[in-house]
Amino acid sequence: MALLEVDAIDVHYGDFQAIYGLSITVDEGETLAVIGANGAGKSTLLKTIAGINRPRVGEVRFDGANISGLAAHRRVPLGISLTPEGRRIFPSLTLEENLLVGGHTKRPGYWNLTTVYETFPLLADRRSRLGVHASGGEQQATAIGRALMSNPRLLLLDEVSLGLAPIVVENIYAALPNISAQGTTVLVVEQDVNQALKVANRVHCLLEGRSVLEGKPAELSREQIASAYFGI
Ligand code: ATP
């Protein structure tokens, strides 16, 4: 059964419509990647699933229940956790304090400080560093670790690779198999198509607020992906 069902949603910012009749499903344990160019609506989709944006039309269902009207902070205890674009870690807290903030829901599960440090060994050495002094990679690992600390059933990752050197991106993505192995369902939004194809079981490509291509990475050709991505 699908853990997440996004059913024919329209999402607006005032008069501007960012998403048009979009439907996606994510099965329990699956890793779905949503790719698309700047402004395609990827972050808007994640924010709508997390409860920061509301669909004007359509429904978001989680584990069979309609959560479209539920506030963002009420979705975290259900098991939905977002790593936002730009990481948004607290600059005046240490990296460890940032992780602890993510654990305040006390959902039971595999993730705690020890397991986060095992998954992101670079953080273990830098735990006392202030957020403001952390590198982009340390901040991204902290942001993902902070989301994991709530023991999510569904982890939403927004633009993991943004602004990071390729080697750092590789290191961060190397943690994803361990995260999936704990049964966590992952929805990752990426502009870096190669990374997305490497980690995902299934891919959706968005163009101007609509899904224009969907399939398993091995079944999609480079040409199909390029024309869906660029709208040619
Ligand atoms: P990016 O990688 O640039 O973040 P994206 O695919 O995540 O792209 P969104 O951020 O979801 O795209 O933006 C979708 C559309 O909605 C864009 O045209 C964007 O300008 C617009 N938009 C996003 N946030 C707002 C906002 N707060 N107010 C008005 N328009 C917005």
Side-chain angles (χ1 to χ4, degrees):
M1 184 185 138
L3 179 64
L4 176 76
E5 296 164 277
V6 172
D7 188 2
I9 59 165
D10 286 354
V11 186
H12 294 73
Y13 295 102
D15 290 337
F16 176 76
Q17 185 162 359
I19 288 188
Y20 295 82
L22 179 63
S23 296
I24 62 161
T25 58
V26 192
D27 289 336
E28 183 115 52
E30 186 180 35
T31 296
L32 177 78
V34 175
I35 58 174
N38 269 338
K42 306 179 300 297
S43 297
T44 302
L45 169 66
L46 284 200
K47 286 193 237 166
T48 308
I49 298 165
I52 298 160
N53 295 338
R54 296 289 160 85
R56 199 174 279 180
V57 174
E59 272 186 13
V60 177
R61 291 188 291 276
F62 185 68
D63 206 12
N66 180 5
I67 58 164
S68 310
L70 207 61
H73 69 277
R74 297 205 185 278
R75 300 190 192 199
V76 182
L78 294 181
I80 299 177
S81 197
L82 170 70
T83 301
E85 186 172 359
R87 295 130 206 168
R88 306 276 183 91
I89 72 161
F90 298 105
S92 60
L93 300 183
T94 65
L95 297 185
E96 181 155 298
E97 286 165 346
N98 269 278
L99 293 176
L100 290 170
V101 167
H104 77 280
T105 56
K106 304 261 186 297
R107 267 178 63 83
Y110 172 83
W111 295 104
N112 52 45
L113 280 180
T114 308
T115 52
V116 167
Y117 288 143
E118 279 165 12
T119 302
F120 295 106
L122 82 156
L123 288 184
D125 298 337
R126 311 283 156 83
R127 64 181 78 189
S128 337
R129 181 170 283 194
L130 287 178
V132 67
H133 295 140
S135 69
E138 290 160 7
Q139 291 190 10
Q140 186 58 273
T142 302
I144 298 173
R146 181 179 59 189
L148 289 172
M149 289 287 286
S150 69
N151 277 297
R153 292 178 70 188
L154 174 66
L155 177 65
L156 306 170
L157 297 176
D158 199 350
E159 301 282 8
V160 168
S161 65
L162 199 70
L164 300 180
I167 180 73
V168 179
V169 175
E170 291 277 339
N171 280 339
I172 305 263
Y173 269 108
L176 219 54
N178 186 31
I179 295 170
S180 302
Q182 308 314 320
T184 311
T185 306
V186 181
L187 200 173
V188 57
V189 150
E190 257 304 343
Q191 274 189 50
D192 183 336
V193 176
N194 287 329
Q195 271 303 338
L197 294 175
K198 261 193 248 172
V199 299
N201 307 114
R202 206 153 51 81
V203 182
H204 265 272
C205 184
L206 299 194
L207 179 71
E208 295 173 357
R210 295 176 172 89
S211 177
V212 289
L213 183 71
E214 189 252 327
K216 296 187 171 149
E219 295 167 357
L220 300 173
S221 69
R222 291 274 148 188
E223 292 71 28
Q224 274 178 304
I225 293 168
S227 42
Y229 193 97
F230 296 110
I232 26 178

